[in-house]
Amino acid sequence: TLVANKGFGNMNMVKLQAEADMGGSSGNTVIGEESHRDIGLKVPATVLDIRIPVENKDGFIDTEDLAQISDAPTVREDGNSFSVEELRLFCSGPAWYLVGRLKNTGQHGAELTLVTWEVGGEDKEVLASAGGYVRFLNPGEIKPFKLMVPLRTDVTWCRLQVTPGFKAKLRPVELQGSAETYADRGAAYISLLGQVSNHGSERQDFIKVMVEFLDECGRLLDVDWAFLNYLDPGQSQSFTVYTPHLQTSRWQLYFD
């Protein structure tokens, strides 16, 4: 959920409201036949399988090329459909990072979508992998992700896979937030101090506040996040995030 778009010198607050019948039960439905190994849930197979060029281990990946390097269709008969809107690789210390944006282009809400990044060598062996869940996406909604693997010199290929979890009813956006620069880590970092408010009528638990750091062209440089235990209706809490990418000129907030 995009809730704020902030730059040095201007502010644009955005609130997205899902138009859906929110009454009754949660509407979560098991829609697949395979299992996530770590949580044992029945889910469908991978819907998006992208081979990522590794000639440049530190740089942006042209989004126009993403459809051409996809090894699997993005639309399934059960209505699951996703697209990767942007990808960037970068190195920092002993680690290699992949940041990107995932969009739900399907017909229903998507809950517990698994994003996996694998890197491998010349013999096609997987050398390292990382994964994480996007907790919820309304149809048409975009959220960022960030994955990390050890930096290796013998990597010759990498791939990004998206595996859906459950379909669910649409959810209204009841949180709003903003962030300002906050000099608490010295000149080597851009730090933000933000605040999140619950404008809904129900308590929100275990909130993940995600921040995209963007350059002057709007390209995704980095992603950081913070967790809030809960927010009662009308309550607000502060958070801090940071990035070493000093070319950041603005940022966007999301909740997951």
Side-chain angles (χ1 to χ4, degrees):
T1 302
L2 170 64
V3 294
N5 183 337
K6 173 67 179 178
F8 292 111
N10 64 0
M11 183 71 178
N12 179 26
M13 291 295 296
V14 179
K15 183 176 181 182
L16 305 178
Q17 180 70 40
E19 298 178 356
D21 178 10
M22 300 304 298
S25 63
S26 65
N28 294 345
T29 306
V30 177
I31 54 176
E33 299 177 350
E34 297 186 2
S35 296
H36 283 303
R37 289 171 295 178
D38 52 348
I39 57 176
L41 299 178
K42 296 292 185 180
V43 298
T46 299
V47 296
L48 192 59
D49 191 341
I50 297 175
R51 293 279 179 167
I52 303 172
V54 295
E55 289 80 6
N56 182 4
K57 291 184 172 62
D58 193 342
F60 298 98
I61 299 172
D62 191 343
T63 53
E64 294 181 357
D65 295 335
L66 292 181
Q68 300 176 15
I69 59 179
S70 176
D71 293 335
T74 61
V75 181
R76 291 169 51 92
E77 293 180 357
D78 55 25
N80 279 298
S81 176
F82 299 89
S83 64
V84 175
E85 299 297 300
E86 186 169 358
L87 288 175
R88 184 194 178 213
L89 296 166
F90 68 89
C91 305
S92 180
W96 194 21
Y97 294 91
L98 175 67
V99 294
R101 295 188 179 109
L102 181 68
K103 181 178 182 179
N104 178 7
T105 56
Q107 305 166 359
H108 47 69
E111 189 168 11
L112 289 178
T113 304
L114 177 62
V115 182
T116 307
W117 181 30
E118 294 181 342
V119 300
E122 293 182 354
D123 57 358
K124 298 185 179 180
E125 177 187 4
V126 176
L127 301 174
S129 64
Y133 288 94
V134 178
R135 192 163 69 171
F136 190 85
L137 283 168
N138 279 313
E141 190 173 25
I142 299 173
K143 288 183 181 178
F145 60 86
K146 180 179 182 178
L147 300 172
M148 179 191 72
V149 296
L151 182 61
R152 302 179 57 130
T153 59
D154 54 348
V155 170
T156 60
W157 61 268
C158 65
R159 68 193 299 181
L160 178 73
Q161 294 181 307
V162 177
T163 306
F166 302 95
K167 62 181 179 182
K169 290 183 178 180
L170 306 190
R171 295 181 183 176
V173 177
E174 298 178 332
L175 300 172
Q176 284 189 339
S178 61
E180 302 284 347
T181 53
Y182 176 58
D184 71 330
R185 289 182 177 266
Y189 296 93
I190 291 177
S191 300
L192 303 180
L193 174 63
Q195 181 170 277
V196 178
S197 301
N198 181 1
H199 292 266
S201 59
E202 297 182 357
R203 168 170 159 158
Q204 301 288 323
D205 292 308
F206 199 60
I207 302 162
K208 185 178 183 180
V209 185
M210 307 185 71
V211 179
E212 290 182 343
F213 295 91
L214 311 173
D215 67 10
E216 61 182 5
C217 298
R219 296 181 300 180
L220 181 61
L221 295 172
D222 197 5
V223 178
D224 195 19
W225 55 84
F227 289 100
L228 306 179
N229 287 334
Y230 67 90
L231 278 177
D232 287 321
Q235 185 181 13
S236 299
Q237 284 191 33
S238 299
F239 67 91
T240 58
V241 291
Y242 69 95
T243 180
H245 295 273
L246 300 181
Q247 62 269 49
T248 296
S249 63
R250 57 191 179 95
W251 45 89
Q252 296 183 151
L253 274 64
Y254 299 79
F255 301 122
D256 195 31

